[in-house]
Amino acid sequence: MGEFSIWHWLIVLVIVAMVFGTKKLKNIGTDLGQAVKGFKDGMRDADLAANPPEQTAEAPRQRLVHERDGGASRDPQDTSVNAPH
């Protein structure tokens, strides 16, 4: 009684398809997929809110470099070496 063969599952699938119809089952599958996608997006947004990206941590370092250089305007991404004359 506890074991179901593939034939049992196929019969159940056919009965469910006849009761609900294939269009209704397709809509349920689509709705379920959209719900899972929405859940994943919500989890990612919550994770980003809890752990902001490291790019925001770069701003204080840029300000310190700017203050250390006497307020000279310099691109923080510039890797060229400018020796004093």
Side-chain angles (χ1 to χ4, degrees):
M1 168 106 186
E3 295 183 31
F4 288 104
S5 69
I6 188 71
W7 295 109
H8 289 107
W9 291 113
L10 287 175
I11 291 170
V12 169
L13 181 63
V14 168
I15 291 172
V16 168
M18 287 185 340
V19 170
F20 291 108
T22 56
K23 185 174 182 179
K24 183 85 166 183
L25 291 175
K26 180 182 174 187
N27 290 341
I28 291 172
T30 302
D31 292 342
L32 181 62
Q34 289 175 349
V36 169
K37 182 179 178 184
F39 177 76
K40 286 181 180 179
D41 290 342
M43 292 299 292
R44 184 177 8 160
D45 291 344
D47 188 39
L48 287 176
N51 301 322
E54 292 183 19
Q55 291 176 344
T56 58
E58 186 70 21
R61 187 180 79 73
Q62 290 174 355
R63 185 183 58 217
L64 289 175
V65 168
H66 181 71
E67 290 172 357
R68 183 185 69 213
D69 292 342
S73 177
R74 187 172 73 174
D75 182 16
Q77 301 297 327
D78 185 13
T79 58
S80 63
V81 177
N82 295 328
H85 291 53

